Amino acid sequence: MKRIAVMGTGYVGLVSGTCFAEIGNQVTCCDIDEGKIQRLNEGIIPIYEPGLEEVVKRNIKEERLTFTTDIPSAIRDAEIVYIGVGTPMAESGEADLTFVKNVAKTIGENLNGYKVIVNKSTVPVGTGKLVQSIIKEHSTGNVEFDVVSNPEFLREGSALEDTMNMERAVIGATSDKAANIIKEIHEPFNTTIISTNLESAEMIKYAANAFLATKISFINDIANICERVGADVTKVAEGMGLDSRIGAKFLQAGIGYGGSCFPKDTRALIHIAEQVDYDFKMMKAVINTNEYQKMKVVTKLKDIISELKGKTIAVLGLAFKPNTDDMRDAPSLEIIPALLKEGAKIQAFDPIAKEAARLHFGDAISYHTDVYETLTNADVCVILTEWKDVLELDLNKVHSLLSKPVIVDGRNCFDLKEAEAANLIYHSIGRPEVNS
Ligand code: UGA
């Protein structure tokens, strides 16, 4: 059992803090937002994440997990301090390290004995060393400490499962003593440990996200070629993915990647490269493809019904992916304004992200949590997120509800034969058009 303080109660801090408590540690999660901390102490979770509430409540009850705004006390009481604060994207594409630097300063000011300071936020290469120097600058006396980089690989929507069953733990450390302490707390996770230096650990996080984004843009480019040559990208991806050197995951063509990580981290990596005079051309191409891909559903819809003005469009899915209410960089944020600009009326479905979406679209669209209600009185349908309710749609019923039986599917949710049998005009990504 270790005493751990976690700085920041966003996705990374809250989920990893909760999981460290779940495996038996004494964890204090800290945030400067008093309202958030008060709600967390009552077991109210600020994010939608399947299963998280139950585990948070259980660990609060069993007194392994507490939440506080008293950051100095939490730091002083801890043996290990995790930094899990946000690193938003600055105007330049660079990661904004304001929160990380502030936390490092507070840690320095409260360093009252040997501690391991662990960075879990996604930070540019060199930040570990920067944290080290800020702590040194603000600490009084000659108190020993070590800095470790232990990046997070969880996905939103399956964060708890990803953390409890982590595929690997990357531990970049400045000393064996610190590396061993962090290895020890990972033992109950029974995972593969990669030990390295600070810089490599920081790079692994960016390289992993950038590679996954590359896989998505690659398959989307292939999808666009498939459409022109009469191939089916889902079969192409299946055929490629069976090669174990390629792997089947992250080869789902669609309307591009969104969320709080890939768009930000790909840009940050270009910036990191520029800092060392390297032009990361491939990453720029990955981003360009992603931008192009988002608008594909709009161009496809305009190809089918040339005039969108006055048409009612049922838009299924607002969040950037299923099982989350996160709207950050969701493709819907660009697609819906483009459809509104064409003069269309939008009836939108999302079971979870309705309120988060309202902050962006206000009263410009109508919001629904019942998928069939969304389709009622609509002319055509556009699919942006592959929610379970969408995947389980009865296509005959969809046909009967739409005034024009048109689906433009940005997530390849349905079998082509199924769409054909339901007499739908069905256009998806990288696959032959049905009944066009
Ligand atoms: C991503 C990574 O998968 C995590 O490993 C990482 O820890 C996290 O970023 C982070 O850095 O914090 P996340 O953004 O939650 O996780 O979501 P993903 O499941 O990776 O999906 C990202 C986007 O890619 C979504 O918009 C999704 O629709 C899209 N995607 C994914 C595709 O278009 N095709 C695919 O085959 C897979």
Side-chain angles (χ1 to χ4, degrees):
M1 196 278 285
K2 294 270 186 240
R3 292 188 315 281
I4 302 175
V6 181
M7 305 294 120
T9 55
Y11 263 100
V12 170
L14 180 57
V15 176
S16 39
T18 303
C19 292
F20 282 134
E22 177 74 359
I23 56 167
N25 297 289
Q26 194 63 45
V27 180
T28 307
C29 288
C30 305
D31 207 292
I32 48 173
D33 184 337
E34 292 199 11
K36 196 175 179 189
I37 289 297
Q38 197 180 334
R39 287 190 293 280
L40 279 165
N41 269 320
E42 291 161 20
I44 303 166
I45 311 294
I47 48 173
Y48 175 81
E49 193 57 49
L52 186 59
E53 188 176 320
E54 196 193 317
V55 187
V56 168
K57 281 187 172 157
R58 185 172 58 239
N59 282 280
I60 293 176
K61 196 163 160 241
E62 293 172 7
E63 296 180 350
R64 284 189 301 268
L65 182 61
T66 50
F67 297 94
T68 185
T69 49
D70 185 357
I71 300 173
S73 297
I75 293 170
R76 285 198 294 269
D77 288 347
E79 298 161 83
I80 301 167
V81 182
Y82 262 91
I83 303 176
V85 294
T87 51
M89 188 164 67
E91 223 25 62
S92 58
E94 197 178 352
D96 179 348
L97 295 177
T98 309
F99 299 130
V100 173
K101 288 179 190 167
N102 287 345
V103 165
K105 180 172 174 275
T106 313
I107 294 172
E109 289 164 350
N110 292 282
L111 203 66
N112 56 344
Y114 178 77
K115 295 180 201 298
V116 184
I117 317 304
V118 196
N119 216 336
K120 228 186 202 322
S121 304
T122 303
V123 291
V125 183
T127 306
K129 288 272 163 69
L130 177 70
V131 164
Q132 197 174 28
S133 71
I134 296 175
I135 296 176
K136 212 171 248 170
E137 187 190 330
H138 292 276
S139 62
T140 45
N142 248 346
V143 190
E144 211 195 322
F145 70 96
D146 278 307
V147 174
V148 168
S149 165
N150 172 216
E152 182 53 64
F153 299 106
L154 64 81
R155 289 164 301 173
E156 291 183 19
S158 55
L160 198 65
E161 203 188 308
D162 286 351
T163 309
M164 291 310 289
N165 306 302
M166 57 178 77
E167 285 182 325
R168 84 287 208 192
V170 172
I171 299 173
T174 45
S175 82
D176 287 347
K177 181 177 169 182
N180 288 335
I181 291 171
I182 302 307
K183 267 184 209 163
E184 198 189 314
I185 61 164
H186 281 83
E187 257 161 37
F189 292 120
N190 199 16
T191 189
T192 306
I193 306 265
I194 307 288
S195 292
T196 181
N197 61 12
L198 275 176
E199 291 75 10
S200 306
E202 290 168 342
M203 193 63 182
I204 286 170
K205 173 64 191 182
Y206 279 106
N209 272 3
F211 187 75
L212 291 170
T214 304
K215 262 188 126 175
I216 297 169
S217 278
F218 180 84
I219 201 66
N220 282 335
D221 270 337
I222 294 291
N224 297 338
I225 303 167
C226 283
E227 283 175 12
R228 293 168 193 220
V229 298
D232 178 338
V233 74
T234 53
K235 286 287 159 203
V236 174
E238 195 183 334
M240 288 166 62
L242 284 170
D243 183 329
S244 62
R245 293 170 303 174
I246 297 172
K249 291 178 183 165
F250 274 67
L251 286 180
Q252 239 169 288
I255 45 173
Y257 57 79
S260 64
C261 305
F262 292 170
K264 165 173 81 74
D265 294 348
T266 44
R267 288 191 162 85
L269 188 52
I270 290 174
H271 202 272
I272 291 168
E274 274 166 4
Q275 301 288 90
V276 287
D277 284 332
Y278 191 78
D279 182 9
F280 198 165
K281 290 198 188 77
M282 191 169 78
M283 203 42 44
K284 291 178 181 168
V286 165
I287 294 170
N288 282 342
T289 295
N290 201 55
E291 291 305 313
Y292 171 80
Q293 205 65 15
K294 284 185 204 167
M295 282 304 129
K296 283 215 73 177
V297 283
V298 180
T299 40
K300 277 176 186 280
L301 196 56
K302 277 163 71 179
D303 283 349
I304 307 170
I305 44 167
S306 46
E307 184 63 63
L308 293 183
K309 197 166 188 245
K311 297 285 185 311
T312 299
I313 304 173
V315 172
L316 308 187
L318 296 168
F320 82 98
K321 67 171 188 176
N323 294 324
T324 179
D325 62 351
D326 202 336
M327 287 294 296
R328 284 177 287 178
D329 265 303
S332 66
L333 292 177
E334 289 183 39
I335 295 166
I336 289 180
L339 294 174
L340 288 171
K341 205 170 160 213
E342 295 286 333
K345 195 178 147 220
I346 306 292
Q347 300 183 166
F349 160 82
D350 199 291
I352 305 290
K354 194 173 128 175
E355 293 314 318
R358 203 185 288 278
L359 299 175
H360 295 275
F361 304 121
D363 294 333
I365 66 174
S366 69
Y367 304 89
H368 307 261
T369 48
D370 182 287
V371 72
Y372 291 110
E373 181 193 287
T374 319
L375 291 157
T376 306
N377 297 323
D379 292 305
V380 295
C381 167
V382 167
I383 298 174
L384 302 187
T385 319
E386 65 278 33
W387 282 101
K388 188 165 173 277
D389 288 3
V390 175
L391 295 171
E392 289 174 353
L393 275 174
D394 172 347
L395 293 186
N396 290 313
K397 198 164 166 189
V398 175
H399 186 284
S400 71
L401 290 172
L402 294 172
S403 77
K404 294 181 199 312
V406 172
I407 297 184
V408 174
D409 180 359
R411 296 295 183 179
N412 289 350
C413 293
F414 304 107
D415 191 72
L416 298 178
K417 289 207 177 80
E418 202 189 332
E420 194 170 11
N423 268 323
L424 285 162
I425 297 171
Y426 178 69
H427 289 202
S428 50
I429 306 290
R431 303 191 295 173
E433 295 163 357
V434 172
N435 296 323
S436 58

